[in-house]
Amino acid sequence: MVEISIENLTKHYGTLVALDNVSLAIASGEVFGLLGPNGAGKSTLLKTLVGILRPTSGTIRIGAIDIVADPEKAKKMIGYLPENPSLYTGLTTQEFLQFVGKIRGVADDLLDRKISESLKSFGLEEKRNSLVGTLSKGMKQKVALIATSLHSPQVLVLDEPLTALDPKTRVSVKDWIGGQTTRGVTTILSTHDLDVAQTHAGRIAIIDHGKIVAVGDIESLRHMANTASDARLEDVFLRLTEEKGEDPARR
Ligand code: ADP
Ligand code: MG
């Protein structure tokens, strides 16, 4: 069981402030949604969280481990799905997953079992010996998700896991995320899709221009935004960003 703690996290790219003093505490086993428009800083936050980017300032702890001070130890606990996963297109599905699993140090017999189970649960068994490069976009996303979880991470960091997938694939990916979380995996996922955030995450942080505008479950976000009890997240989002003195129409 692992919680995530982000304190006063700031990230600059040159003069651009991509994250501005972000603090978040994510409980063990929680499914946490990061919602914001394009360019809000979602991917930057997730990359910093998994140790790919170094913070300009602030601290991130995965359980008790500081990602900057002890990246190797922290990374062992994390499964990360990038925004645009790069897969080895010249390997077969089986070869690619074995390659990733071995790098992750998964024992051979366990790895074989995990690969078979995962391919089965995603309905990908018949693609076991196909080259990754010949798979459809949705199939590639499923293979990337399997690769993300082969080492049974306690923390899943998923950057827009459902973007650009057909409805059927979305359902199976949603089910897969649900299955991970019933096993107590702490999950943080980003999305610009309000429906995904609303149906999937327990708590949601709304991020805009590198700042956390609001955090809470949909009920408390509605309350903060002073919107009706049946208000859509979209209205809540627009209201909350408005109250920070910005005109959403200009975005
Ligand atoms: P999101 O994932 O919410 O769409 P990003 O974190 O990708 O947002 O980007 C946040 C801001 O940081 C954007 O203005 C983007 O152009 C900028 N940015 C992202 N990555 C880099 C980079 N490597 N170098 C410079 N600017 C970047
Ligand atoms: Mg992004």
Side-chain angles (χ1 to χ4, degrees):
M1 302 295 268
V2 174
E3 66 283 341
I4 299 171
S5 146
I6 300 170
E7 281 172 23
N8 306 113
L9 179 64
T10 292
K11 176 68 188 174
H12 295 176
Y13 296 114
T15 56
L16 181 98
V17 182
L19 294 175
D20 188 359
N21 205 31
V22 168
S23 296
L24 286 174
I26 300 165
S28 177
E30 185 170 12
V31 183
F32 192 90
L34 198 58
L35 176 73
N38 291 324
K42 303 181 295 297
S43 295
T44 301
L45 177 57
L46 299 184
K47 283 178 195 163
T48 317
L49 187 63
V50 301
I52 289 174
L53 291 175
R54 244 185 129 80
T56 303
S57 60
T59 52
I60 295 167
R61 276 190 211 86
I62 311 293
I65 301 161
D66 185 307
I67 188 86
V68 176
D70 206 346
E72 274 191 35
K73 209 166 172 186
K75 284 176 184 178
K76 287 199 172 126
M77 300 159 79
I78 301 173
Y80 168 57
L81 179 79
E83 201 164 17
N84 299 301
S86 52
L87 308 179
Y88 291 102
T89 51
L91 298 181
T92 66
T93 302
Q94 162 95 7
E95 287 166 344
F96 172 69
L97 292 173
Q98 269 177 338
F99 172 72
V100 173
K102 282 180 202 289
I103 287 178
R104 283 297 199 167
V106 183
D108 285 347
D109 50 344
L110 177 62
L111 180 57
D112 286 342
R113 201 165 68 235
K114 278 217 96 169
I115 292 174
S116 295
E117 280 171 11
S118 306
L119 290 176
K120 191 168 176 204
S121 77
F122 270 133
L124 276 179
E125 284 155 309
E126 74 206 42
K127 298 295 179 183
R128 184 189 279 266
N129 297 313
S130 303
L131 293 178
V132 171
T134 66
L135 303 181
S136 71
K137 160 131 184 119
M139 290 172 185
K140 285 189 185 121
Q141 185 77 342
K142 291 175 183 173
V143 170
L145 277 171
I146 296 171
T148 300
S149 64
L150 285 173
H151 60 300
S152 307
Q154 293 159 283
V155 173
L156 275 178
V157 178
L158 309 174
D159 199 348
E160 304 209 14
L162 296 156
T163 297
L165 298 179
D166 67 67
K168 198 170 168 218
T169 310
R170 281 170 79 98
V171 169
S172 62
V173 171
K174 280 187 183 183
D175 289 348
W176 181 88
I177 296 171
Q180 297 293 318
T181 55
T182 55
R183 259 166 261 153
V185 175
T186 309
T187 305
I188 175 164
L189 62 92
S190 75
T191 180
H192 58 242
D193 184 329
L194 299 146
D195 291 338
V196 171
Q198 193 157 0
T199 56
H200 222 76
R203 284 193 308 148
I204 298 161
I206 296 180
I207 180 169
D208 196 18
H209 293 99
K211 285 196 172 80
I212 303 291
V213 179
V215 187
D217 59 17
I218 179 71
E219 300 311 322
S220 58
L221 292 177
R222 278 189 188 121
H223 186 73
M224 274 181 247
N226 259 329
T227 48
S229 61
D230 60 348
R232 292 172 309 152
L233 188 54
E234 194 168 18
D235 299 323
V236 174
F237 176 79
L238 292 175
R239 182 75 72 92
L240 285 170
T241 48
E242 255 171 29
E243 281 182 3
K244 299 285 165 189
E246 286 176 42
D247 176 6
R250 271 199 331 240
R251 225 189 293 278

